[in-house]
Amino acid sequence: METKPTPAPTDFIREAVAEDLRLGRYTYVRTRLPPEPNGYLHIGHVKAFLIDYNIAHENGGEVILRFDDTNPAKEETEYVDAIKDDAAWLGIHWAKETYASDYFDRLYEWAVKLIKMGKAYVDDQSAEEVSKTRGTLTEAGIESPFRNRSMEENLDLLERMKNGEFPDGSRILRAKIDMGHPNMVMRDPAMYRIIHEPAHHRTGRNWCIYPMYDWSHGQNDSMEGITHSLCSMEYEIHRPLYEWFLEQLGEFKPRQIEFSRLNLTFAMMSKRKLRKLVEMGMVKGWDDPRLTTLRGMRRRGYTAQAILDFIKKVGVAKNTSWIDFALLESCVRDDLNRLAMRKMAVLNPLKVVIDNYPEDLVEEMDAVNNPEDAAAGSRKVPFSKVLFIDQDDFREVPPPKYFRLYPGNEVRLRYAYFIKCVSVVKDETGKVSEIHCTYDPTTRGGDAQDGRKVKSTIHWLSAKHAIPVEVRLYERLFTHENPDEGDDFLSFINPESLVIPENCFVEPSLANAKAGEHFQFERTGYFCVDQDSQPGKIVFNRTVTLKDAWARIEQKTNQ
RNA sequence: UGGGGGCUCGUCUAAUGGCAGGACAAAUGACUCUGGAUCAUUCAGUAGUGGUUCAAAUCCAUUGCCCCCAGCCA
């Protein structure tokens, strides 16, 4: 065999996991997907999901989907369903679906245990007082006057907090650690807060106290036997607390490892700002194809495979990083190039009359469905005297290096004939309204008998057979690489992020295209049938354009 | 400013004391019935300064810059 074994992709987390196994720190691998059900999954979550999922499976382990539902004020069942749907679409299989709220009882028992150990206390200070006495980055905090009350009183108070005897914000349970700790996270962090409204989406009104992330997450990891709790860098300073709780309790201790989160240029990842875009109507919903929510990307036409490839190429590290949006586009082009059926579509039609073509003749031309896949076969495309071509493919006065149609020039109509432009008709404003060409009958199918060449091949549609459709041309939502920078992200919105041209036509073979199907419109881009499509009114979303060498040449010569 | 983390081509990422490599982007050319795809080539990097070493992106010291933390959010 000549094929070299490709080394398995590795990174510092995979190495750490392998070492843990080798040294026997853990005898198996189990990770968890920890979404908070308060919004839709976006591409940033996908990176985290895939790291957890892949590392577990590469080691013969499993992953638990655990919803982090510790705050009833923000969480809803609707999001739970959407997250599961998105994760499944990506091809993620979870061994078990759990909720932080499944463990509320046990967590409460552990809190009681900590109180009995003298490691936690009920604080009657207001949120404002707690905040004020926390100290600053450089100064130690001040201990609460309630810090040293008796175990019995703490137990009694916590019980009554749980039973709903006190109003929201009146008391919290805090871990008793060190108000002078240089790491602010360790300055007697809150464990439980009182929340009466609204009802929790799963536990209803059973609970009036809810655990904070720090008190819930690590303990849940431990209860589920998670070996590796993988999360983003901002949790690094929480790791000492994660470990402190489990050490005090003497429970199984998973290893938390942090990696840098995914930042994507020209994309909005902030949940709060995403919500604002949706609520202000700047985009049409959480599944707007301009968003990098998974639902948006799906609707835009990104394939799961392309997204998986992208995440693999992004890698895993601890550096603050900004991934170029072009890398995502490259991945989706690569995947769609392999699988998308080719079609002809004219989005900005120019009427072409073939002067020497018989008035009523219609010919069926053979067109290849996918040059990358011989098994995809071919189809018939009707040809007749009056055609549409794209406006971009004709210039009355050709710029330098322009190979397409212009007066006197001959080009090939893809899979049809060579044509030559002989005259131009203009409307009253002086704009070219139609052009006249002659065709060479001996070039049927697209090859010249005499071996002569043309420099360009353009796509076309028979005017009377063309199907009118709606086409939505999407561009980047923002004009700024990092729209999250500064406070006025709305000013970075690209006014041309969605353009719907007036007269778009596609070839008749697309008449029965179904929502979700991917196509390449030759020489134009990749498109996906939108769910808004109706019988007789198909809607296409542009997933991504094809690379356009001519656009670059033109841009350069214009400078 | 206290604590924590980071710094390798424009971007992302390898190299685990021994030839700084890959991908995306960019550029040039070949090929082409998609100015697509493909192929070839090119451009381009170890934050600075010292030190250890036969040998340093890697080890040590030091400086600089960037990110995170003062929610009863996660």
PDB file of all heavy atoms in Angstrom, chain A residues 454-480:
ATOM      1  N   VAL A 454     -14.771  29.171 -29.359  1.00  0.00           N
ATOM      2  CA  VAL A 454     -15.279  30.456 -28.857  1.00  0.00           C
ATOM      3  C   VAL A 454     -14.660  30.628 -27.468  1.00  0.00           C
ATOM      4  O   VAL A 454     -14.280  29.658 -26.826  1.00  0.00           O
ATOM      5  CB  VAL A 454     -16.825  30.469 -28.746  1.00  0.00           C
ATOM      6  CG1 VAL A 454     -17.447  30.537 -30.116  1.00  0.00           C
ATOM      7  CG2 VAL A 454     -17.319  29.262 -27.968  1.00  0.00           C
ATOM      8  N   LYS A 455     -14.577  31.861 -27.031  1.00  0.00           N
ATOM      9  CA  LYS A 455     -13.920  32.094 -25.740  1.00  0.00           C
ATOM     10  C   LYS A 455     -14.875  32.025 -24.572  1.00  0.00           C
ATOM     11  O   LYS A 455     -14.466  32.085 -23.432  1.00  0.00           O
ATOM     12  CB  LYS A 455     -13.221  33.469 -25.759  1.00  0.00           C
ATOM     13  CG  LYS A 455     -12.072  33.516 -26.754  1.00  0.00           C
ATOM     14  CD  LYS A 455     -11.078  34.601 -26.414  1.00  0.00           C
ATOM     15  CE  LYS A 455     -10.107  34.165 -25.342  1.00  0.00           C
ATOM     16  NZ  LYS A 455      -8.994  35.107 -25.171  1.00  0.00           N
ATOM     17  N   SER A 456     -16.157  31.915 -24.895  1.00  0.00           N
ATOM     18  CA  SER A 456     -17.101  31.943 -23.785  1.00  0.00           C
ATOM     19  C   SER A 456     -18.311  31.051 -24.027  1.00  0.00           C
ATOM     20  O   SER A 456     -18.753  30.881 -25.161  1.00  0.00           O
ATOM     21  CB  SER A 456     -17.561  33.390 -23.555  1.00  0.00           C
ATOM     22  OG  SER A 456     -18.421  33.454 -22.465  1.00  0.00           O
ATOM     23  N   THR A 457     -18.825  30.493 -22.969  1.00  0.00           N
ATOM     24  CA  THR A 457     -20.059  29.715 -23.009  1.00  0.00           C
ATOM     25  C   THR A 457     -21.025  30.372 -22.028  1.00  0.00           C
ATOM     26  O   THR A 457     -20.655  30.602 -20.872  1.00  0.00           O
ATOM     27  CB  THR A 457     -19.797  28.273 -22.559  1.00  0.00           C
ATOM     28  OG1 THR A 457     -18.861  27.671 -23.449  1.00  0.00           O
ATOM     29  CG2 THR A 457     -21.083  27.458 -22.540  1.00  0.00           C
ATOM     30  N   ILE A 458     -22.218  30.689 -22.497  1.00  0.00           N
ATOM     31  CA  ILE A 458     -23.167  31.342 -21.588  1.00  0.00           C
ATOM     32  C   ILE A 458     -24.437  30.506 -21.446  1.00  0.00           C
ATOM     33  O   ILE A 458     -24.736  29.664 -22.293  1.00  0.00           O
ATOM     34  CB  ILE A 458     -23.515  32.782 -22.038  1.00  0.00           C
ATOM     35  CG1 ILE A 458     -24.264  32.781 -23.367  1.00  0.00           C
ATOM     36  CG2 ILE A 458     -22.249  33.636 -22.101  1.00  0.00           C
ATOM     37  CD1 ILE A 458     -24.738  34.163 -23.797  1.00  0.00           C
ATOM     38  N   HIS A 459     -25.146  30.716 -20.370  1.00  0.00           N
ATOM     39  CA  HIS A 459     -26.383  29.977 -20.134  1.00  0.00           C
ATOM     40  C   HIS A 459     -27.565  30.757 -20.695  1.00  0.00           C
ATOM     41  O   HIS A 459     -27.469  31.953 -20.957  1.00  0.00           O
ATOM     42  CB  HIS A 459     -26.557  29.679 -18.644  1.00  0.00           C
ATOM     43  CG  HIS A 459     -26.618  30.910 -17.802  1.00  0.00           C
ATOM     44  ND1 HIS A 459     -25.493  31.585 -17.399  1.00  0.00           N
ATOM     45  CD2 HIS A 459     -27.680  31.594 -17.291  1.00  0.00           C
ATOM     46  CE1 HIS A 459     -25.856  32.628 -16.668  1.00  0.00           C
ATOM     47  NE2 HIS A 459     -27.166  32.662 -16.585  1.00  0.00           N
ATOM     48  N   TRP A 460     -28.680  30.062 -20.877  1.00  0.00           N
ATOM     49  CA  TRP A 460     -29.824  30.631 -21.585  1.00  0.00           C
ATOM     50  C   TRP A 460     -31.089  29.898 -21.192  1.00  0.00           C
ATOM     51  O   TRP A 460     -31.038  28.824 -20.571  1.00  0.00           O
ATOM     52  CB  TRP A 460     -29.609  30.465 -23.100  1.00  0.00           C
ATOM     53  CG  TRP A 460     -29.296  29.018 -23.417  1.00  0.00           C
ATOM     54  CD1 TRP A 460     -28.066  28.420 -23.381  1.00  0.00           C
ATOM     55  CD2 TRP A 460     -30.241  27.973 -23.725  1.00  0.00           C
ATOM     56  NE1 TRP A 460     -28.185  27.077 -23.646  1.00  0.00           N
ATOM     57  CE2 TRP A 460     -29.495  26.773 -23.871  1.00  0.00           C
ATOM     58  CE3 TRP A 460     -31.628  27.938 -23.908  1.00  0.00           C
ATOM     59  CZ2 TRP A 460     -30.099  25.550 -24.187  1.00  0.00           C
ATOM     60  CZ3 TRP A 460     -32.237  26.725 -24.234  1.00  0.00           C
ATOM     61  CH2 TRP A 460     -31.456  25.539 -24.365  1.00  0.00           C
ATOM     62  N   LEU A 461     -32.216  30.465 -21.599  1.00  0.00           N
ATOM     63  CA  LEU A 461     -33.504  29.821 -21.369  1.00  0.00           C
ATOM     64  C   LEU A 461     -34.370  30.098 -22.589  1.00  0.00           C
ATOM     65  O   LEU A 461     -34.290  31.183 -23.171  1.00  0.00           O
ATOM     66  CB  LEU A 461     -34.169  30.461 -20.147  1.00  0.00           C
ATOM     67  CG  LEU A 461     -34.321  29.746 -18.798  1.00  0.00           C
ATOM     68  CD1 LEU A 461     -33.329  28.633 -18.564  1.00  0.00           C
ATOM     69  CD2 LEU A 461     -34.295  30.760 -17.689  1.00  0.00           C
ATOM     70  N   SER A 462     -35.164  29.146 -22.994  1.00  0.00           N
ATOM     71  CA  SER A 462     -36.148  29.396 -24.044  1.00  0.00           C
ATOM     72  C   SER A 462     -37.259  30.239 -23.422  1.00  0.00           C
ATOM     73  O   SER A 462     -37.877  29.823 -22.441  1.00  0.00           O
ATOM     74  CB  SER A 462     -36.715  28.068 -24.548  1.00  0.00           C
ATOM     75  OG  SER A 462     -37.888  28.323 -25.300  1.00  0.00           O
ATOM     76  N   ALA A 463     -37.498  31.418 -23.974  1.00  0.00           N
ATOM     77  CA  ALA A 463     -38.421  32.367 -23.338  1.00  0.00           C
ATOM     78  C   ALA A 463     -39.796  31.764 -23.092  1.00  0.00           C
ATOM     79  O   ALA A 463     -40.380  31.936 -22.022  1.00  0.00           O
ATOM     80  CB  ALA A 463     -38.536  33.638 -24.181  1.00  0.00           C
ATOM     81  N   LYS A 464     -40.300  31.025 -24.072  1.00  0.00           N
ATOM     82  CA  LYS A 464     -41.668  30.535 -23.883  1.00  0.00           C
ATOM     83  C   LYS A 464     -41.749  29.314 -22.966  1.00  0.00           C
ATOM     84  O   LYS A 464     -42.822  28.922 -22.549  1.00  0.00           O
ATOM     85  CB  LYS A 464     -42.350  30.267 -25.227  1.00  0.00           C
ATOM     86  CG  LYS A 464     -41.770  29.145 -26.034  1.00  0.00           C
ATOM     87  CD  LYS A 464     -42.558  28.991 -27.341  1.00  0.00           C
ATOM     88  CE  LYS A 464     -41.806  28.109 -28.311  1.00  0.00           C
ATOM     89  NZ  LYS A 464     -42.346  28.187 -29.686  1.00  0.00           N
ATOM     90  N   HIS A 465     -40.614  28.712 -22.664  1.00  0.00           N
ATOM     91  CA  HIS A 465     -40.627  27.565 -21.750  1.00  0.00           C
ATOM     92  C   HIS A 465     -40.175  27.918 -20.341  1.00  0.00           C
ATOM     93  O   HIS A 465     -40.309  27.120 -19.423  1.00  0.00           O
ATOM     94  CB  HIS A 465     -39.723  26.453 -22.283  1.00  0.00           C
ATOM     95  CG  HIS A 465     -40.152  25.918 -23.615  1.00  0.00           C
ATOM     96  ND1 HIS A 465     -39.651  26.400 -24.808  1.00  0.00           N
ATOM     97  CD2 HIS A 465     -41.050  24.963 -23.942  1.00  0.00           C
ATOM     98  CE1 HIS A 465     -40.215  25.748 -25.808  1.00  0.00           C
ATOM     99  NE2 HIS A 465     -41.071  24.865 -25.311  1.00  0.00           N
ATOM    100  N   ALA A 466     -39.599  29.104 -20.203  1.00  0.00           N
ATOM    101  CA  ALA A 466     -39.013  29.474 -18.907  1.00  0.00           C
ATOM    102  C   ALA A 466     -40.089  29.608 -17.838  1.00  0.00           C
ATOM    103  O   ALA A 466     -41.191  30.072 -18.105  1.00  0.00           O
ATOM    104  CB  ALA A 466     -38.248  30.784 -19.040  1.00  0.00           C
ATOM    105  N   ILE A 467     -39.763  29.179 -16.635  1.00  0.00           N
ATOM    106  CA  ILE A 467     -40.704  29.261 -15.512  1.00  0.00           C
ATOM    107  C   ILE A 467     -40.353  30.456 -14.641  1.00  0.00           C
ATOM    108  O   ILE A 467     -39.221  30.558 -14.166  1.00  0.00           O
ATOM    109  CB  ILE A 467     -40.616  27.999 -14.630  1.00  0.00           C
ATOM    110  CG1 ILE A 467     -40.878  26.757 -15.469  1.00  0.00           C
ATOM    111  CG2 ILE A 467     -41.585  28.084 -13.466  1.00  0.00           C
ATOM    112  CD1 ILE A 467     -40.711  25.482 -14.667  1.00  0.00           C
ATOM    113  N   PRO A 468     -41.325  31.354 -14.410  1.00  0.00           N
ATOM    114  CA  PRO A 468     -41.039  32.478 -13.518  1.00  0.00           C
ATOM    115  C   PRO A 468     -40.975  31.998 -12.071  1.00  0.00           C
ATOM    116  O   PRO A 468     -41.799  31.196 -11.638  1.00  0.00           O
ATOM    117  CB  PRO A 468     -42.227  33.421 -13.734  1.00  0.00           C
ATOM    118  CG  PRO A 468     -43.316  32.565 -14.282  1.00  0.00           C
ATOM    119  CD  PRO A 468     -42.682  31.402 -14.983  1.00  0.00           C
ATOM    120  N   VAL A 469     -39.983  32.465 -11.352  1.00  0.00           N
ATOM    121  CA  VAL A 469     -39.816  32.072  -9.949  1.00  0.00           C
ATOM    122  C   VAL A 469     -39.367  33.282  -9.142  1.00  0.00           C
ATOM    123  O   VAL A 469     -39.005  34.310  -9.704  1.00  0.00           O
ATOM    124  CB  VAL A 469     -38.737  30.963  -9.787  1.00  0.00           C
ATOM    125  CG1 VAL A 469     -39.167  29.680 -10.452  1.00  0.00           C
ATOM    126  CG2 VAL A 469     -37.385  31.434 -10.312  1.00  0.00           C
ATOM    127  N   GLU A 470     -39.420  33.125  -7.821  1.00  0.00           N
ATOM    128  CA  GLU A 470     -38.847  34.172  -6.970  1.00  0.00           C
ATOM    129  C   GLU A 470     -37.464  33.721  -6.525  1.00  0.00           C
ATOM    130  O   GLU A 470     -37.281  32.575  -6.123  1.00  0.00           O
ATOM    131  CB  GLU A 470     -39.724  34.423  -5.739  1.00  0.00           C
ATOM    132  CG  GLU A 470     -39.122  35.459  -4.793  1.00  0.00           C
ATOM    133  CD  GLU A 470     -40.059  35.863  -3.653  1.00  0.00           C
ATOM    134  OE1 GLU A 470     -41.288  35.909  -3.882  1.00  0.00           O
ATOM    135  OE2 GLU A 470     -39.549  36.123  -2.556  1.00  0.00           O
ATOM    136  N   VAL A 471     -36.527  34.636  -6.610  1.00  0.00           N
ATOM    137  CA  VAL A 471     -35.176  34.310  -6.169  1.00  0.00           C
ATOM    138  C   VAL A 471     -34.738  35.341  -5.139  1.00  0.00           C
ATOM    139  O   VAL A 471     -34.866  36.543  -5.350  1.00  0.00           O
ATOM    140  CB  VAL A 471     -34.189  34.307  -7.357  1.00  0.00           C
ATOM    141  CG1 VAL A 471     -32.768  34.066  -6.867  1.00  0.00           C
ATOM    142  CG2 VAL A 471     -34.582  33.238  -8.363  1.00  0.00           C
ATOM    143  N   ARG A 472     -34.270  34.848  -4.011  1.00  0.00           N
ATOM    144  CA  ARG A 472     -33.814  35.734  -2.942  1.00  0.00           C
ATOM    145  C   ARG A 472     -32.296  35.691  -2.884  1.00  0.00           C
ATOM    146  O   ARG A 472     -31.707  34.655  -2.585  1.00  0.00           O
ATOM    147  CB  ARG A 472     -34.424  35.300  -1.605  1.00  0.00           C
ATOM    148  CG  ARG A 472     -35.947  35.371  -1.640  1.00  0.00           C
ATOM    149  CD  ARG A 472     -36.596  34.805  -0.406  1.00  0.00           C
ATOM    150  NE  ARG A 472     -38.050  34.878  -0.522  1.00  0.00           N
ATOM    151  CZ  ARG A 472     -38.912  34.309   0.323  1.00  0.00           C
ATOM    152  NH1 ARG A 472     -38.447  33.605   1.351  1.00  0.00           N
ATOM    153  NH2 ARG A 472     -40.210  34.437   0.139  1.00  0.00           N
ATOM    154  N   LEU A 473     -31.693  36.816  -3.198  1.00  0.00           N
ATOM    155  CA  LEU A 473     -30.237  36.896  -3.232  1.00  0.00           C
ATOM    156  C   LEU A 473     -29.738  37.423  -1.897  1.00  0.00           C
ATOM    157  O   LEU A 473     -29.986  38.572  -1.540  1.00  0.00           O
ATOM    158  CB  LEU A 473     -29.781  37.819  -4.361  1.00  0.00           C
ATOM    159  CG  LEU A 473     -30.246  37.407  -5.768  1.00  0.00           C
ATOM    160  CD1 LEU A 473     -29.786  38.436  -6.798  1.00  0.00           C
ATOM    161  CD2 LEU A 473     -29.721  36.020  -6.120  1.00  0.00           C
ATOM    162  N   TYR A 474     -29.060  36.546  -1.180  1.00  0.00           N
ATOM    163  CA  TYR A 474     -28.560  36.931   0.136  1.00  0.00           C
ATOM    164  C   TYR A 474     -27.082  37.303   0.089  1.00  0.00           C
ATOM    165  O   TYR A 474     -26.295  36.659  -0.607  1.00  0.00           O
ATOM    166  CB  TYR A 474     -28.758  35.788   1.133  1.00  0.00           C
ATOM    167  CG  TYR A 474     -30.203  35.530   1.429  1.00  0.00           C
ATOM    168  CD1 TYR A 474     -30.868  34.443   0.878  1.00  0.00           C
ATOM    169  CD2 TYR A 474     -30.922  36.408   2.237  1.00  0.00           C
ATOM    170  CE1 TYR A 474     -32.205  34.217   1.139  1.00  0.00           C
ATOM    171  CE2 TYR A 474     -32.267  36.189   2.504  1.00  0.00           C
ATOM    172  CZ  TYR A 474     -32.901  35.093   1.952  1.00  0.00           C
ATOM    173  OH  TYR A 474     -34.217  34.874   2.221  1.00  0.00           O
ATOM    174  N   GLU A 475     -26.761  38.330   0.833  1.00  0.00           N
ATOM    175  CA  GLU A 475     -25.373  38.738   1.033  1.00  0.00           C
ATOM    176  C   GLU A 475     -25.132  38.701   2.530  1.00  0.00           C
ATOM    177  O   GLU A 475     -26.036  38.472   3.317  1.00  0.00           O
ATOM    178  CB  GLU A 475     -25.164  40.176   0.545  1.00  0.00           C
ATOM    179  CG  GLU A 475     -25.209  40.340  -0.963  1.00  0.00           C
ATOM    180  CD  GLU A 475     -23.887  39.944  -1.604  1.00  0.00           C
ATOM    181  OE1 GLU A 475     -22.894  39.801  -0.858  1.00  0.00           O
ATOM    182  OE2 GLU A 475     -23.876  39.777  -2.842  1.00  0.00           O
ATOM    183  N   ARG A 476     -23.923  39.038   2.929  1.00  0.00           N
ATOM    184  CA  ARG A 476     -23.632  39.137   4.358  1.00  0.00           C
ATOM    185  C   ARG A 476     -24.574  40.137   5.010  1.00  0.00           C
ATOM    186  O   ARG A 476     -24.888  41.164   4.436  1.00  0.00           O
ATOM    187  CB  ARG A 476     -22.202  39.628   4.551  1.00  0.00           C
ATOM    188  CG  ARG A 476     -21.260  38.653   3.943  1.00  0.00           C
ATOM    189  CD  ARG A 476     -19.848  39.121   3.966  1.00  0.00           C
ATOM    190  NE  ARG A 476     -19.077  37.960   3.555  1.00  0.00           N
ATOM    191  CZ  ARG A 476     -17.822  37.956   3.191  1.00  0.00           C
ATOM    192  NH1 ARG A 476     -17.137  39.065   3.191  1.00  0.00           N
ATOM    193  NH2 ARG A 476     -17.244  36.842   2.840  1.00  0.00           N
ATOM    194  N   LEU A 477     -24.991  39.822   6.223  1.00  0.00           N
ATOM    195  CA  LEU A 477     -25.936  40.683   6.941  1.00  0.00           C
ATOM    196  C   LEU A 477     -25.273  41.978   7.384  1.00  0.00           C
ATOM    197  O   LEU A 477     -25.921  42.998   7.533  1.00  0.00           O
ATOM    198  CB  LEU A 477     -26.451  39.945   8.186  1.00  0.00           C
ATOM    199  CG  LEU A 477     -27.907  40.070   8.601  1.00  0.00           C
ATOM    200  CD1 LEU A 477     -28.044  39.887  10.101  1.00  0.00           C
ATOM    201  CD2 LEU A 477     -28.584  41.353   8.170  1.00  0.00           C
ATOM    202  N   PHE A 478     -23.957  41.906   7.621  1.00  0.00           N
ATOM    203  CA  PHE A 478     -23.265  43.094   8.127  1.00  0.00           C
ATOM    204  C   PHE A 478     -22.166  43.549   7.184  1.00  0.00           C
ATOM    205  O   PHE A 478     -21.599  42.750   6.439  1.00  0.00           O
ATOM    206  CB  PHE A 478     -22.661  42.804   9.510  1.00  0.00           C
ATOM    207  CG  PHE A 478     -23.693  42.493  10.546  1.00  0.00           C
ATOM    208  CD1 PHE A 478     -23.975  41.173  10.882  1.00  0.00           C
ATOM    209  CD2 PHE A 478     -24.412  43.502  11.162  1.00  0.00           C
ATOM    210  CE1 PHE A 478     -24.943  40.874  11.821  1.00  0.00           C
ATOM    211  CE2 PHE A 478     -25.375  43.210  12.110  1.00  0.00           C
ATOM    212  CZ  PHE A 478     -25.642  41.892  12.440  1.00  0.00           C
ATOM    213  N   THR A 479     -21.891  44.836   7.251  1.00  0.00           N
ATOM    214  CA  THR A 479     -20.837  45.391   6.412  1.00  0.00           C
ATOM    215  C   THR A 479     -19.517  45.446   7.167  1.00  0.00           C
ATOM    216  O   THR A 479     -18.494  45.800   6.607  1.00  0.00           O
ATOM    217  CB  THR A 479     -21.183  46.834   6.005  1.00  0.00           C
ATOM    218  OG1 THR A 479     -21.462  47.569   7.203  1.00  0.00           O
ATOM    219  CG2 THR A 479     -22.418  46.863   5.113  1.00  0.00           C
ATOM    220  N   HIS A 480     -19.565  45.091   8.442  1.00  0.00           N
ATOM    221  CA  HIS A 480     -18.390  45.188   9.291  1.00  0.00           C
ATOM    222  C   HIS A 480     -17.969  43.782   9.721  1.00  0.00           C
ATOM    223  O   HIS A 480     -18.820  42.962  10.052  1.00  0.00           O
ATOM    224  CB  HIS A 480     -18.734  46.039  10.522  1.00  0.00           C
ATOM    225  CG  HIS A 480     -17.542  46.445  11.338  1.00  0.00           C
ATOM    226  ND1 HIS A 480     -16.921  45.602  12.231  1.00  0.00           N
ATOM    227  CD2 HIS A 480     -16.874  47.619  11.399  1.00  0.00           C
ATOM    228  CE1 HIS A 480     -15.913  46.241  12.807  1.00  0.00           C
ATOM    229  NE2 HIS A 480     -15.862  47.468  12.316  1.00  0.00           N
TER     230      HIS A 480
END
